[in-house]
Amino acid sequence: MCFGGPPALPAPPPLPPPPAPPPMLPDQGVQNAGVQQANKAAMAYGASQTILTGPEGLQTKADTTASGKTLLGA
């Protein structure tokens, strides 16, 4: 026996809140300060600050003779 129509559907869940607005970029003064700081750091790191050689490059002759070779672990 049927006593009416289909059962009532439950109410849909509420919508989630809208997403937060995207982050704002810093103003032009802050961006310029960052660029200036990066430029100062790049200028401070010159040829005299390299790890392997100085501004003149290598000062010793390369050891390319057989006597300069060593065995691994020796």
mmCIF file with all atom_site columns, all heavy atoms in Angstrom, residues 29-52:
data_model
loop_
_atom_site.group_PDB
_atom_site.id
_atom_site.type_symbol
_atom_site.label_atom_id
_atom_site.label_alt_id
_atom_site.label_comp_id
_atom_site.label_asym_id
_atom_site.label_entity_id
_atom_site.label_seq_id
_atom_site.pdbx_PDB_ins_code
_atom_site.Cartn_x
_atom_site.Cartn_y
_atom_site.Cartn_z
_atom_site.occupancy
_atom_site.B_iso_or_equiv
_atom_site.pdbx_formal_charge
_atom_site.auth_seq_id
_atom_site.auth_comp_id
_atom_site.auth_asym_id
_atom_site.auth_atom_id
_atom_site.pdbx_PDB_model_num
ATOM 1   N N   . GLY A 1 29 ? 57.783 50.653 -2.537 1.00 0.00 ? 29 GLY A N   1
ATOM 2   C CA  . GLY A 1 29 ? 58.962 50.954 -1.727 1.00 0.00 ? 29 GLY A CA  1
ATOM 3   C C   . GLY A 1 29 ? 59.598 49.701 -1.161 1.00 0.00 ? 29 GLY A C   1
ATOM 4   O O   . GLY A 1 29 ? 60.830 49.565 -1.127 1.00 0.00 ? 29 GLY A O   1
ATOM 5   N N   . VAL A 1 30 ? 58.771 48.761 -0.712 1.00 0.00 ? 30 VAL A N   1
ATOM 6   C CA  . VAL A 1 30 ? 59.298 47.512 -0.158 1.00 0.00 ? 30 VAL A CA  1
ATOM 7   C C   . VAL A 1 30 ? 59.941 46.682 -1.269 1.00 0.00 ? 30 VAL A C   1
ATOM 8   O O   . VAL A 1 30 ? 61.006 46.086 -1.074 1.00 0.00 ? 30 VAL A O   1
ATOM 9   C CB  . VAL A 1 30 ? 58.175 46.726 0.542  1.00 0.00 ? 30 VAL A CB  1
ATOM 10  C CG1 . VAL A 1 30 ? 58.651 45.363 0.965  1.00 0.00 ? 30 VAL A CG1 1
ATOM 11  C CG2 . VAL A 1 30 ? 57.648 47.511 1.730  1.00 0.00 ? 30 VAL A CG2 1
ATOM 12  N N   . GLN A 1 31 ? 59.326 46.660 -2.430 1.00 0.00 ? 31 GLN A N   1
ATOM 13  C CA  . GLN A 1 31 ? 59.898 45.912 -3.545 1.00 0.00 ? 31 GLN A CA  1
ATOM 14  C C   . GLN A 1 31 ? 61.241 46.514 -3.968 1.00 0.00 ? 31 GLN A C   1
ATOM 15  O O   . GLN A 1 31 ? 62.202 45.783 -4.231 1.00 0.00 ? 31 GLN A O   1
ATOM 16  C CB  . GLN A 1 31 ? 58.933 45.893 -4.726 1.00 0.00 ? 31 GLN A CB  1
ATOM 17  C CG  . GLN A 1 31 ? 57.696 45.062 -4.475 1.00 0.00 ? 31 GLN A CG  1
ATOM 18  C CD  . GLN A 1 31 ? 56.728 45.099 -5.645 1.00 0.00 ? 31 GLN A CD  1
ATOM 19  O OE1 . GLN A 1 31 ? 56.939 45.792 -6.630 1.00 0.00 ? 31 GLN A OE1 1
ATOM 20  N NE2 . GLN A 1 31 ? 55.650 44.350 -5.528 1.00 0.00 ? 31 GLN A NE2 1
ATOM 21  N N   . ASN A 1 32 ? 61.324 47.844 -4.015 1.00 0.00 ? 32 ASN A N   1
ATOM 22  C CA  . ASN A 1 32 ? 62.589 48.495 -4.395 1.00 0.00 ? 32 ASN A CA  1
ATOM 23  C C   . ASN A 1 32 ? 63.675 48.205 -3.371 1.00 0.00 ? 32 ASN A C   1
ATOM 24  O O   . ASN A 1 32 ? 64.833 47.999 -3.730 1.00 0.00 ? 32 ASN A O   1
ATOM 25  C CB  . ASN A 1 32 ? 62.389 50.005 -4.539 1.00 0.00 ? 32 ASN A CB  1
ATOM 26  C CG  . ASN A 1 32 ? 61.589 50.356 -5.779 1.00 0.00 ? 32 ASN A CG  1
ATOM 27  O OD1 . ASN A 1 32 ? 61.464 49.560 -6.702 1.00 0.00 ? 32 ASN A OD1 1
ATOM 28  N ND2 . ASN A 1 32 ? 61.031 51.558 -5.796 1.00 0.00 ? 32 ASN A ND2 1
ATOM 29  N N   . ALA A 1 33 ? 63.329 48.214 -2.091 1.00 0.00 ? 33 ALA A N   1
ATOM 30  C CA  . ALA A 1 33 ? 64.318 47.927 -1.052 1.00 0.00 ? 33 ALA A CA  1
ATOM 31  C C   . ALA A 1 33 ? 64.855 46.510 -1.206 1.00 0.00 ? 33 ALA A C   1
ATOM 32  O O   . ALA A 1 33 ? 66.060 46.271 -1.028 1.00 0.00 ? 33 ALA A O   1
ATOM 33  C CB  . ALA A 1 33 ? 63.697 48.115 0.327  1.00 0.00 ? 33 ALA A CB  1
ATOM 34  N N   . GLY A 1 34 ? 63.996 45.552 -1.538 1.00 0.00 ? 34 GLY A N   1
ATOM 35  C CA  . GLY A 1 34 ? 64.455 44.177 -1.748 1.00 0.00 ? 34 GLY A CA  1
ATOM 36  C C   . GLY A 1 34 ? 65.388 44.060 -2.937 1.00 0.00 ? 34 GLY A C   1
ATOM 37  O O   . GLY A 1 34 ? 66.397 43.352 -2.880 1.00 0.00 ? 34 GLY A O   1
ATOM 38  N N   . VAL A 1 35 ? 65.079 44.753 -4.008 1.00 0.00 ? 35 VAL A N   1
ATOM 39  C CA  . VAL A 1 35 ? 65.939 44.728 -5.201 1.00 0.00 ? 35 VAL A CA  1
ATOM 40  C C   . VAL A 1 35 ? 67.281 45.370 -4.886 1.00 0.00 ? 35 VAL A C   1
ATOM 41  O O   . VAL A 1 35 ? 68.340 44.855 -5.268 1.00 0.00 ? 35 VAL A O   1
ATOM 42  C CB  . VAL A 1 35 ? 65.235 45.439 -6.379 1.00 0.00 ? 35 VAL A CB  1
ATOM 43  C CG1 . VAL A 1 35 ? 66.197 45.662 -7.538 1.00 0.00 ? 35 VAL A CG1 1
ATOM 44  C CG2 . VAL A 1 35 ? 64.038 44.636 -6.839 1.00 0.00 ? 35 VAL A CG2 1
ATOM 45  N N   . GLN A 1 36 ? 67.267 46.500 -4.163 1.00 0.00 ? 36 GLN A N   1
ATOM 46  C CA  . GLN A 1 36 ? 68.519 47.171 -3.811 1.00 0.00 ? 36 GLN A CA  1
ATOM 47  C C   . GLN A 1 36 ? 69.383 46.288 -2.906 1.00 0.00 ? 36 GLN A C   1
ATOM 48  O O   . GLN A 1 36 ? 70.603 46.225 -3.071 1.00 0.00 ? 36 GLN A O   1
ATOM 49  C CB  . GLN A 1 36 ? 68.234 48.502 -3.122 1.00 0.00 ? 36 GLN A CB  1
ATOM 50  C CG  . GLN A 1 36 ? 67.685 49.553 -4.061 1.00 0.00 ? 36 GLN A CG  1
ATOM 51  C CD  . GLN A 1 36 ? 67.268 50.825 -3.335 1.00 0.00 ? 36 GLN A CD  1
ATOM 52  O OE1 . GLN A 1 36 ? 67.292 50.889 -2.114 1.00 0.00 ? 36 GLN A OE1 1
ATOM 53  N NE2 . GLN A 1 36 ? 66.879 51.822 -4.109 1.00 0.00 ? 36 GLN A NE2 1
ATOM 54  N N   . GLN A 1 37 ? 68.760 45.602 -1.967 1.00 0.00 ? 37 GLN A N   1
ATOM 55  C CA  . GLN A 1 37 ? 69.515 44.714 -1.073 1.00 0.00 ? 37 GLN A CA  1
ATOM 56  C C   . GLN A 1 37 ? 70.148 43.569 -1.867 1.00 0.00 ? 37 GLN A C   1
ATOM 57  O O   . GLN A 1 37 ? 71.302 43.199 -1.635 1.00 0.00 ? 37 GLN A O   1
ATOM 58  C CB  . GLN A 1 37 ? 68.599 44.156 0.019  1.00 0.00 ? 37 GLN A CB  1
ATOM 59  C CG  . GLN A 1 37 ? 69.286 43.258 0.991  1.00 0.00 ? 37 GLN A CG  1
ATOM 60  C CD  . GLN A 1 37 ? 70.302 43.990 1.843  1.00 0.00 ? 37 GLN A CD  1
ATOM 61  O OE1 . GLN A 1 37 ? 70.223 45.187 2.020  1.00 0.00 ? 37 GLN A OE1 1
ATOM 62  N NE2 . GLN A 1 37 ? 71.255 43.260 2.352  1.00 0.00 ? 37 GLN A NE2 1
ATOM 63  N N   . ALA A 1 38 ? 69.412 42.996 -2.808 1.00 0.00 ? 38 ALA A N   1
ATOM 64  C CA  . ALA A 1 38 ? 69.957 41.919 -3.638 1.00 0.00 ? 38 ALA A CA  1
ATOM 65  C C   . ALA A 1 38 ? 71.115 42.435 -4.493 1.00 0.00 ? 38 ALA A C   1
ATOM 66  O O   . ALA A 1 38 ? 72.125 41.734 -4.671 1.00 0.00 ? 38 ALA A O   1
ATOM 67  C CB  . ALA A 1 38 ? 68.857 41.331 -4.516 1.00 0.00 ? 38 ALA A CB  1
ATOM 68  N N   . ASN A 1 39 ? 70.993 43.651 -5.031 1.00 0.00 ? 39 ASN A N   1
ATOM 69  C CA  . ASN A 1 39 ? 72.076 44.222 -5.841 1.00 0.00 ? 39 ASN A CA  1
ATOM 70  C C   . ASN A 1 39 ? 73.321 44.467 -4.999 1.00 0.00 ? 39 ASN A C   1
ATOM 71  O O   . ASN A 1 39 ? 74.440 44.206 -5.446 1.00 0.00 ? 39 ASN A O   1
ATOM 72  C CB  . ASN A 1 39 ? 71.619 45.523 -6.500 1.00 0.00 ? 39 ASN A CB  1
ATOM 73  C CG  . ASN A 1 39 ? 70.613 45.281 -7.611 1.00 0.00 ? 39 ASN A CG  1
ATOM 74  O OD1 . ASN A 1 39 ? 70.498 44.178 -8.125 1.00 0.00 ? 39 ASN A OD1 1
ATOM 75  N ND2 . ASN A 1 39 ? 69.868 46.318 -7.969 1.00 0.00 ? 39 ASN A ND2 1
ATOM 76  N N   . LYS A 1 40 ? 73.148 44.972 -3.777 1.00 0.00 ? 40 LYS A N   1
ATOM 77  C CA  . LYS A 1 40 ? 74.299 45.203 -2.903 1.00 0.00 ? 40 LYS A CA  1
ATOM 78  C C   . LYS A 1 40 ? 75.000 43.890 -2.574 1.00 0.00 ? 40 LYS A C   1
ATOM 79  O O   . LYS A 1 40 ? 76.226 43.810 -2.552 1.00 0.00 ? 40 LYS A O   1
ATOM 80  C CB  . LYS A 1 40 ? 73.855 45.886 -1.613 1.00 0.00 ? 40 LYS A CB  1
ATOM 81  C CG  . LYS A 1 40 ? 73.542 47.354 -1.776 1.00 0.00 ? 40 LYS A CG  1
ATOM 82  C CD  . LYS A 1 40 ? 73.119 47.942 -0.445 1.00 0.00 ? 40 LYS A CD  1
ATOM 83  C CE  . LYS A 1 40 ? 72.678 49.383 -0.592 1.00 0.00 ? 40 LYS A CE  1
ATOM 84  N NZ  . LYS A 1 40 ? 72.214 49.948 0.685  1.00 0.00 ? 40 LYS A NZ  1
ATOM 85  N N   . ALA A 1 41 ? 74.224 42.852 -2.311 1.00 0.00 ? 41 ALA A N   1
ATOM 86  C CA  . ALA A 1 41 ? 74.819 41.555 -2.002 1.00 0.00 ? 41 ALA A CA  1
ATOM 87  C C   . ALA A 1 41 ? 75.571 41.000 -3.209 1.00 0.00 ? 41 ALA A C   1
ATOM 88  O O   . ALA A 1 41 ? 76.643 40.412 -3.067 1.00 0.00 ? 41 ALA A O   1
ATOM 89  C CB  . ALA A 1 41 ? 73.739 40.577 -1.552 1.00 0.00 ? 41 ALA A CB  1
ATOM 90  N N   . ALA A 1 42 ? 75.030 41.183 -4.406 1.00 0.00 ? 42 ALA A N   1
ATOM 91  C CA  . ALA A 1 42 ? 75.693 40.688 -5.606 1.00 0.00 ? 42 ALA A CA  1
ATOM 92  C C   . ALA A 1 42 ? 76.984 41.452 -5.871 1.00 0.00 ? 42 ALA A C   1
ATOM 93  O O   . ALA A 1 42 ? 77.987 40.865 -6.290 1.00 0.00 ? 42 ALA A O   1
ATOM 94  C CB  . ALA A 1 42 ? 74.759 40.797 -6.808 1.00 0.00 ? 42 ALA A CB  1
ATOM 95  N N   . MET A 1 43 ? 76.991 42.758 -5.609 1.00 0.00 ? 43 MET A N   1
ATOM 96  C CA  . MET A 1 43 ? 78.211 43.545 -5.831 1.00 0.00 ? 43 MET A CA  1
ATOM 97  C C   . MET A 1 43 ? 79.273 43.237 -4.775 1.00 0.00 ? 43 MET A C   1
ATOM 98  O O   . MET A 1 43 ? 80.463 43.323 -5.047 1.00 0.00 ? 43 MET A O   1
ATOM 99  C CB  . MET A 1 43 ? 77.876 45.031 -5.835 1.00 0.00 ? 43 MET A CB  1
ATOM 100 C CG  . MET A 1 43 ? 77.135 45.470 -7.085 1.00 0.00 ? 43 MET A CG  1
ATOM 101 S SD  . MET A 1 43 ? 76.961 47.259 -7.228 1.00 0.00 ? 43 MET A SD  1
ATOM 102 C CE  . MET A 1 43 ? 75.902 47.646 -5.852 1.00 0.00 ? 43 MET A CE  1
ATOM 103 N N   . ALA A 1 44 ? 78.863 42.894 -3.571 1.00 0.00 ? 44 ALA A N   1
ATOM 104 C CA  . ALA A 1 44 ? 79.821 42.583 -2.515 1.00 0.00 ? 44 ALA A CA  1
ATOM 105 C C   . ALA A 1 44 ? 80.538 41.271 -2.787 1.00 0.00 ? 44 ALA A C   1
ATOM 106 O O   . ALA A 1 44 ? 81.640 41.049 -2.309 1.00 0.00 ? 44 ALA A O   1
ATOM 107 C CB  . ALA A 1 44 ? 79.119 42.518 -1.163 1.00 0.00 ? 44 ALA A CB  1
ATOM 108 N N   . TYR A 1 45 ? 79.922 40.378 -3.538 1.00 0.00 ? 45 TYR A N   1
ATOM 109 C CA  . TYR A 1 45 ? 80.512 39.088 -3.862 1.00 0.00 ? 45 TYR A CA  1
ATOM 110 C C   . TYR A 1 45 ? 81.218 39.233 -5.200 1.00 0.00 ? 45 TYR A C   1
ATOM 111 O O   . TYR A 1 45 ? 80.598 39.195 -6.246 1.00 0.00 ? 45 TYR A O   1
ATOM 112 C CB  . TYR A 1 45 ? 79.426 38.012 -3.930 1.00 0.00 ? 45 TYR A CB  1
ATOM 113 C CG  . TYR A 1 45 ? 79.978 36.627 -4.116 1.00 0.00 ? 45 TYR A CG  1
ATOM 114 C CD1 . TYR A 1 45 ? 80.451 35.909 -3.043 1.00 0.00 ? 45 TYR A CD1 1
ATOM 115 C CD2 . TYR A 1 45 ? 80.023 36.042 -5.366 1.00 0.00 ? 45 TYR A CD2 1
ATOM 116 C CE1 . TYR A 1 45 ? 80.960 34.642 -3.202 1.00 0.00 ? 45 TYR A CE1 1
ATOM 117 C CE2 . TYR A 1 45 ? 80.532 34.778 -5.542 1.00 0.00 ? 45 TYR A CE2 1
ATOM 118 C CZ  . TYR A 1 45 ? 80.997 34.086 -4.451 1.00 0.00 ? 45 TYR A CZ  1
ATOM 119 O OH  . TYR A 1 45 ? 81.507 32.827 -4.612 1.00 0.00 ? 45 TYR A OH  1
ATOM 120 N N   . GLY A 1 46 ? 82.517 39.449 -5.164 1.00 0.00 ? 46 GLY A N   1
ATOM 121 C CA  . GLY A 1 46 ? 83.273 39.661 -6.394 1.00 0.00 ? 46 GLY A CA  1
ATOM 122 C C   . GLY A 1 46 ? 84.244 38.537 -6.652 1.00 0.00 ? 46 GLY A C   1
ATOM 123 O O   . GLY A 1 46 ? 84.207 37.478 -6.025 1.00 0.00 ? 46 GLY A O   1
ATOM 124 N N   . ALA A 1 47 ? 85.187 38.785 -7.556 1.00 0.00 ? 47 ALA A N   1
ATOM 125 C CA  . ALA A 1 47 ? 86.169 37.774 -7.923 1.00 0.00 ? 47 ALA A CA  1
ATOM 126 C C   . ALA A 1 47 ? 87.073 37.423 -6.754 1.00 0.00 ? 47 ALA A C   1
ATOM 127 O O   . ALA A 1 47 ? 87.591 36.312 -6.673 1.00 0.00 ? 47 ALA A O   1
ATOM 128 C CB  . ALA A 1 47 ? 87.001 38.269 -9.102 1.00 0.00 ? 47 ALA A CB  1
ATOM 129 N N   . SER A 1 48 ? 87.280 38.346 -5.823 1.00 0.00 ? 48 SER A N   1
ATOM 130 C CA  . SER A 1 48 ? 88.149 38.049 -4.683 1.00 0.00 ? 48 SER A CA  1
ATOM 131 C C   . SER A 1 48 ? 87.446 37.173 -3.659 1.00 0.00 ? 48 SER A C   1
ATOM 132 O O   . SER A 1 48 ? 88.081 36.699 -2.721 1.00 0.00 ? 48 SER A O   1
ATOM 133 C CB  . SER A 1 48 ? 88.594 39.353 -4.013 1.00 0.00 ? 48 SER A CB  1
ATOM 134 O OG  . SER A 1 48 ? 87.466 40.026 -3.484 1.00 0.00 ? 48 SER A OG  1
ATOM 135 N N   . GLN A 1 49 ? 86.177 36.947 -3.812 1.00 0.00 ? 49 GLN A N   1
ATOM 136 C CA  . GLN A 1 49 ? 85.416 36.177 -2.845 1.00 0.00 ? 49 GLN A CA  1
ATOM 137 C C   . GLN A 1 49 ? 85.110 34.755 -3.319 1.00 0.00 ? 49 GLN A C   1
ATOM 138 O O   . GLN A 1 49 ? 84.342 34.064 -2.689 1.00 0.00 ? 49 GLN A O   1
ATOM 139 C CB  . GLN A 1 49 ? 84.090 36.889 -2.543 1.00 0.00 ? 49 GLN A CB  1
ATOM 140 C CG  . GLN A 1 49 ? 84.267 38.270 -1.977 1.00 0.00 ? 49 GLN A CG  1
ATOM 141 C CD  . GLN A 1 49 ? 84.960 38.257 -0.633 1.00 0.00 ? 49 GLN A CD  1
ATOM 142 O OE1 . GLN A 1 49 ? 84.715 37.383 0.178  1.00 0.00 ? 49 GLN A OE1 1
ATOM 143 N NE2 . GLN A 1 49 ? 85.834 39.206 -0.409 1.00 0.00 ? 49 GLN A NE2 1
ATOM 144 N N   . THR A 1 50 ? 85.701 34.321 -4.417 1.00 0.00 ? 50 THR A N   1
ATOM 145 C CA  . THR A 1 50 ? 85.429 32.969 -4.877 1.00 0.00 ? 50 THR A CA  1
ATOM 146 C C   . THR A 1 50 ? 86.100 31.958 -3.970 1.00 0.00 ? 50 THR A C   1
ATOM 147 O O   . THR A 1 50 ? 87.074 32.268 -3.281 1.00 0.00 ? 50 THR A O   1
ATOM 148 C CB  . THR A 1 50 ? 85.895 32.757 -6.335 1.00 0.00 ? 50 THR A CB  1
ATOM 149 O OG1 . THR A 1 50 ? 87.281 33.033 -6.396 1.00 0.00 ? 50 THR A OG1 1
ATOM 150 C CG2 . THR A 1 50 ? 85.131 33.644 -7.289 1.00 0.00 ? 50 THR A CG2 1
ATOM 151 N N   . ILE A 1 51 ? 85.617 30.756 -3.969 1.00 0.00 ? 51 ILE A N   1
ATOM 152 C CA  . ILE A 1 51 ? 86.087 29.748 -3.031 1.00 0.00 ? 51 ILE A CA  1
ATOM 153 C C   . ILE A 1 51 ? 87.435 29.161 -3.463 1.00 0.00 ? 51 ILE A C   1
ATOM 154 O O   . ILE A 1 51 ? 88.342 29.011 -2.652 1.00 0.00 ? 51 ILE A O   1
ATOM 155 C CB  . ILE A 1 51 ? 85.044 28.627 -2.902 1.00 0.00 ? 51 ILE A CB  1
ATOM 156 C CG1 . ILE A 1 51 ? 83.770 29.193 -2.287 1.00 0.00 ? 51 ILE A CG1 1
ATOM 157 C CG2 . ILE A 1 51 ? 85.568 27.477 -2.060 1.00 0.00 ? 51 ILE A CG2 1
ATOM 158 C CD1 . ILE A 1 51 ? 82.602 28.233 -2.306 1.00 0.00 ? 51 ILE A CD1 1
ATOM 159 N N   . LEU A 1 52 ? 87.597 28.861 -4.725 1.00 0.00 ? 52 LEU A N   1
ATOM 160 C CA  . LEU A 1 52 ? 88.773 28.116 -5.167 1.00 0.00 ? 52 LEU A CA  1
ATOM 161 C C   . LEU A 1 52 ? 89.961 28.983 -5.528 1.00 0.00 ? 52 LEU A C   1
ATOM 162 O O   . LEU A 1 52 ? 91.101 28.589 -5.328 1.00 0.00 ? 52 LEU A O   1
ATOM 163 C CB  . LEU A 1 52 ? 88.409 27.234 -6.359 1.00 0.00 ? 52 LEU A CB  1
ATOM 164 C CG  . LEU A 1 52 ? 87.366 26.155 -6.073 1.00 0.00 ? 52 LEU A CG  1
ATOM 165 C CD1 . LEU A 1 52 ? 87.034 25.398 -7.346 1.00 0.00 ? 52 LEU A CD1 1
ATOM 166 C CD2 . LEU A 1 52 ? 87.858 25.210 -5.010 1.00 0.00 ? 52 LEU A CD2 1
#
